[in-house]
C-alpha cells in the first residue's frame, strides 16, 4: 500500500498528464466521428455570450455591406412583385418555394469560421426560439449549413465548408442528383460528387438542393458549375461548384423548420 | 510567491481574451491564424508548480476548444507542450537550467529564441495534425504548420517586447 502511494506521489505529474491527455484525445476523436454531436461546442452561455458582445461591435463595421445585401434582396423581391402576372417565371424566381413565413426563424451569425477543415458557425438564437438539431440554415443567396448543437439561447451550425457535411443536391434543369461535399481547399467552392455521367451539364449551370433531403426544401440555390472532372473508372462526374454565398461574410440567416421530417424519419425506420 | 500566482492568472485571462477576440479573426491570406495564447505556457515560471502548469494548460486548451469548436485539439496540443517544457528547457539552456534564474521575457538570446521556436513548433504540429486528422492532405497541413509557426513566433516576440516593463 505504502509503495503504491509512493509511486503515485512520485509520478503525480505524469499521471495527471496522462489522465488529461486521455480526456482531450477522447474529445478530439469524438469530434471527428460522423453522426455524433460534439460534447464541447460554442453553443453555451459563456462563449455564446462573449461572441454576441464581440459581434455587436463588429456589426457596426459591416453595416454598409449588410445594407448592400438587403438592397439586393429588396430589388429581387420587388422584381418578383412586378412580374407576378407571368406565372411561368415567377416560380423560378422564388428561390425558397414551398416555404411559408411561419416555418422560418431568423437568426444572426455571431461567430463564423472558414479557415480549418471542419468549420462551424454560432447563431444567437436557440431552443427558446424553436431551433432543433438537424434544421437547415439558408440565407437569401443560398444554403449555409445544418444545425448541430443547441443551447437555450445559442446554436451551432455545421457549415457547408466542413468535411463532415453531405447534402443532397441536383442540377436545376435536369433533376440528376449527387452529393455535396467540401474538399477543404477554397472557401468559394464546394464539390458535387457521384453525379451520373448521363446528366447533360455544362459550365455555368445552376446547382440546387435536391428533393431527397428532409433537411432542406427542394430547389434552394447552392451555386453554379465552375469545373467538370471526368472519372474514367467510375460512371460519375465530380464538379466544382462556385457558391452563390460568400461564406466568409455572413450576417442574418434563416432557419427552416421542416414539419415533414419526423414523419419521413418514422416511415423510413419501418423499412 | 503570491504575486507570481496573480500575474499568471491575469496573463491567463488576458491572453485568452486577446486570442479569442483579435487573433482568432485574423485569417491572414485566408487560412493562417497565429496562436499567441501559448505564451502563457512559455512564460510560466521555470521553478513554478509543474502539476499546476499541466492542469492550467489543459484548462487553457479546453477554453480555446470551447470557443473555436475544435473538439479537444487545442487542449491536447497545450498539454503536450506543457509536459515537454522541462525537456525543452534542458535542450535550450543546458542541463543546469534549474539552478539558473532563467527568464524568458528578457533580451532575445539564441537560447531563448530556440526555446520559443521549439515550443511553438511542438504546439502547432500537434494542433494541426489533430485538426486535419488524416494523412490525405498532409502537404497542405505541413504548409499551414510552417506559415502559422512563423506568424505565431513573430507575434509572440512582439508581444513579449511590447509588454515587458523596461526596468534597467
Amino acid at each position: 500500500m505504502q509503495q503504491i502511494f509512493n509511486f503515485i506521489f512520485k509520478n503525480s505529474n505524469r499521471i495527471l498528464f496522462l489522465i488529461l491527455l486521455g480526456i482531450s484525445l477522447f474529445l478530439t476523436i469524438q469530434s471527428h466521428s460522423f453522426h455524433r454531436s460534439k460534447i464541447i461546442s460554442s453553443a453555451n452561455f459563456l462563449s455564446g455570450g462573449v461572441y454576441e458582445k464581440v459581434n455587436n461591435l463588429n456589426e457596426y463595421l459591416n453595416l454598409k455591406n449588410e445594407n448592400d445585401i438587403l438592397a439586393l434582396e429588396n430589388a429581387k423581391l420587388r422584381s418578383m412583385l412586378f412580374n407576378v402576372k407571368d406565372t411561368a417565371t415567377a416560380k423560378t424566381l422564388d428561390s425558397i418555394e414551398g416555404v411559408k413565413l411561419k416555418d422560418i426563424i431568423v437568426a444572426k451569425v455571431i461567430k463564423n469560421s472558414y479557415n480549418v477543415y471542419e468549420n462551424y458557425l454560432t447563431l444567437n438564437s436557440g431552443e427558446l426560439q424553436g431551433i432543433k438539431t438537424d434544421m437547415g440554415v439558408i440565407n437569401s443567396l443560398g444554403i449555409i449549413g445544418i444545425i448541430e448543437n443547441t443551447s437555450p439561447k445559442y446554436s451551432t451550425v455545421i457549415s457547408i465548408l466542413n468535411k463532415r457535411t453531405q447534402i443532397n443536391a441536383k442540377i436545376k434543369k435536369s433533376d440528376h442528383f449527387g452529393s455535396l461535399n467540401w474538399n477543404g481547399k477554397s472557401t468559394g467552392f464546394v464539390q458535387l460528387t457521384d453525379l451520373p455521367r448521363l446528366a447533360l451539364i455544362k459550365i455555368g449551370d445552376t446547382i440546387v438542393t435536391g428533393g431527397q433531403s428532409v433537411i432542406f426544401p427542394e430547389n434552394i440555390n447552392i451555386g453554379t458549375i465552375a469545373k467538370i472532372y471526368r472519372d474514367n473508372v467510375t460512371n460519375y462526374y465530380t464538379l466544382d461548384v462556385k457558391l452563390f454565398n460568400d461564406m466568409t461574410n455572413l450576417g442574418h440567416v434563416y432557419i427552416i423548420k421542416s414539419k415533414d421530417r419526423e414523419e419521413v424519419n418514422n416511415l423510413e425506420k419501418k423499412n | 510567491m503570491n504575486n507570481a500566482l496573480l500575474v499568471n492568472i491575469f496573463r491567463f485571462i488576458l491572453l485568452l481574451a486577446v486570442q479569442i477576440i483579435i487573433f482568432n479573426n485574423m485569417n491572414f491570406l485566408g487560412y493562417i491564424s497565429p496562436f499567441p495564447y501559448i505564451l502563457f505556457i512559455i512564460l510560466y515560471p521555470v521553478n513554478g508548480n509543474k502539476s499546476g502548469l499541466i492542469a492550467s494548460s489543459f484548462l487553457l486548451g479546453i477554453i480555446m476548444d470551447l470557443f473555436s469548436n475544435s473538439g479537444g485539439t487545442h487542449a491536447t496540443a497545450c498539454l503536450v507542450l506543457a509536459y515537454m517544457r522541462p525537456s525543452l528547457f534542458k535542450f535550450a539552456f543546458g542541463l543546469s537550467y534549474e539552478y539558473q534564474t532563467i527568464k524568458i521575457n528578457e533580451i532575445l538570446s539564441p537560447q531563448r529564441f530556440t526555446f520559443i521556436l521549439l515550443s511553438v513548433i511542438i504546439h502547432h504540429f500537434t494542433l494541426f495534425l489533430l485538426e486535419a486528422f488524416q494523412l490525405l492532405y498532409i502537404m497542405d497541413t505541413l504548409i499551414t504548420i510552417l506559415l502559422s509557426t512563423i506568424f505565431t513566433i513573430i507575434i509572440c516576440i512582439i508581444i513579449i517586447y511590447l509588454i515587458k516593463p523596461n526596468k534597467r
Side-chain angles (χ1 to χ4, degrees):
Chain A
M1 203 63 195
Q2 185 74 33
Q3 276 186 337
I4 294 174
F5 278 125
N6 272 343
F7 175 79
I8 291 176
F9 281 131
K10 222 160 86 189
N11 291 309
S12 64
N13 282 337
R14 189 163 299 165
I15 291 168
L16 182 68
F17 169 71
L18 287 177
I19 291 172
L20 293 179
L21 189 72
I23 296 173
S24 53
L25 276 178
F26 165 74
L27 289 172
T28 311
I29 292 165
Q30 190 261 356
S31 77
H32 282 286
S33 60
F34 276 85
H35 305 303
R36 228 180 292 169
S37 304
K38 286 184 171 165
I39 295 175
I40 302 231
S41 84
S42 65
N44 61 57
F45 77 99
L46 176 71
S47 47
V50 170
Y51 279 138
E52 186 148 35
K53 290 273 180 313
V54 173
N55 188 261
N56 281 342
L57 282 174
N58 277 341
E59 246 188 358
Y60 284 106
L61 304 172
N62 285 328
L63 273 182
K64 195 171 178 300
N65 254 331
E66 194 73 3
N67 269 344
D68 289 345
I69 294 168
L70 280 178
L72 270 179
E73 197 177 348
N74 254 349
K76 194 177 151 198
L77 291 173
R78 211 164 268 267
S79 79
M80 275 165 65
L81 198 66
F82 290 146
N83 297 332
V84 77
K85 268 182 200 161
D86 193 351
T87 45
T89 54
K91 266 200 165 167
T92 51
L93 272 171
D94 189 358
S95 61
I96 36 179
E97 178 195 346
V99 180
K100 292 184 196 71
L101 191 65
K102 62 178 180 191
D103 300 332
I104 278 183
I105 306 164
V106 180
K108 203 171 70 186
V109 177
I110 54 174
K111 156 83 174 146
N112 185 4
S113 88
Y114 41 84
N115 58 346
V116 286
Y117 292 128
E118 296 184 0
N119 292 302
Y120 293 86
L121 316 169
T122 310
L123 306 181
N124 73 339
S125 14
E127 287 153 16
L128 290 179
Q129 280 79 20
I131 296 180
K132 291 197 196 80
T133 307
D134 280 348
M135 285 182 170
V137 181
I138 62 170
N139 71 0
S140 54
L141 295 173
I143 65 166
I144 287 171
I146 298 164
I147 299 277
E148 169 136 323
N149 274 314
T150 54
S151 73
K153 281 170 74 184
Y154 302 100
S155 47
T156 53
V157 180
I158 175 164
S159 154
I160 43 171
L161 300 185
N162 189 316
K163 289 183 151 177
R164 290 172 56 200
T165 36
Q166 284 225 345
I167 293 169
N168 179 265
K170 64 170 194 186
I171 315 285
K172 192 173 188 177
K173 58 178 188 191
S174 78
D175 281 351
H176 283 105
F177 64 85
S179 70
L180 202 71
N181 310 302
W182 188 51
N183 65 3
K185 292 240 161 84
S186 161
T187 56
F189 297 88
V190 291
Q191 280 65 40
L192 184 68
T193 54
D194 296 344
L195 187 76
R197 285 283 284 277
L198 285 169
L200 286 171
I201 48 172
K202 63 174 193 294
I203 286 173
D205 283 356
T206 308
I207 305 285
V208 294
T209 51
Q212 297 199 339
S213 160
V214 280
I215 293 169
F216 292 101
E218 213 174 335
N219 287 327
I220 289 183
N221 282 336
I222 297 172
T224 52
I225 299 175
K227 221 174 196 180
I228 300 170
Y229 301 99
R230 264 185 205 88
D231 190 350
N232 287 328
V233 183
T234 63
N235 264 327
Y236 295 108
Y237 284 120
T238 296
L239 311 175
D240 267 359
V241 180
K242 187 177 190 318
L243 291 170
F244 288 128
N245 256 322
D246 177 3
M247 292 299 288
T248 62
N249 179 17
L250 296 173
H252 284 85
V253 295
Y254 310 125
I255 296 131
I256 307 166
K257 295 189 215 168
S258 169
K259 282 174 295 186
D260 311 333
R261 201 179 67 236
E262 266 175 29
E263 202 176 324
V264 175
N265 281 347
N266 284 338
L267 197 64
E268 282 180 352
K269 254 180 216 161
K270 286 180 187 164
N271 295 349
Chain B
M1 194 58 211
N2 222 353
N3 196 18
L5 183 72
L6 280 179
V7 166
N8 266 315
I9 292 173
F10 180 68
R11 204 182 269 153
F12 184 94
I13 296 169
L14 189 74
L15 280 171
L16 260 181
V18 171
Q19 175 71 45
I20 287 161
I21 295 170
I22 301 171
F23 291 112
N24 267 6
N25 298 320
M26 204 172 182
N27 295 312
F28 189 62
L29 294 182
Y31 57 98
I32 309 163
S33 303
F35 295 104
Y37 75 99
I38 56 166
L39 269 179
F40 172 78
I41 306 171
I42 294 176
L43 295 181
Y44 193 84
V46 179
N47 44 10
N49 186 347
K50 291 215 172 67
S51 321
L53 175 64
I54 290 178
S56 55
S57 304
F58 178 72
L59 196 65
L60 185 78
I62 275 290
I63 294 177
M64 271 303 290
D65 284 326
L66 206 69
F67 276 92
S68 47
N69 277 314
S70 48
T73 47
H74 281 284
T76 318
C78 286
L79 262 180
V80 169
L81 173 57
Y83 188 69
M84 303 269 281
R85 211 177 80 119
S87 333
L88 294 181
F89 268 129
K90 220 173 267 175
F91 181 81
F93 294 95
L95 267 177
S96 56
Y97 75 95
E98 275 175 60
Y99 308 106
Q100 301 169 3
T101 47
I102 301 172
K103 275 198 163 169
I104 299 299
N105 47 352
E106 271 179 17
I107 294 168
L108 194 68
S109 64
Q111 287 101 333
R112 294 203 178 89
F113 184 73
T114 320
F115 176 69
I116 296 175
L117 178 75
L118 285 176
S119 307
V120 174
I121 287 177
I122 284 173
H123 176 269
H124 282 30
F125 239 89
T126 328
L127 178 68
F128 285 109
L129 284 184
L130 281 178
E131 205 165 79
F133 213 64
Q134 53 187 343
L135 294 176
L136 195 59
Y137 299 99
I138 189 73
M139 273 324 284
D140 290 351
T141 314
L142 287 180
I143 291 169
T144 318
I145 290 173
L146 179 73
L147 295 175
S148 277
T149 305
I150 295 169
F151 206 11
T152 305
I153 287 174
I154 293 171
I155 287 190
C156 280
I157 290 172
I158 290 174
I159 288 178
I160 288 175
Y161 286 97
L162 274 182
I163 291 175
K164 180 204 146 201
N166 232 337
K167 277 173 191 159
R168 277 158 300 162

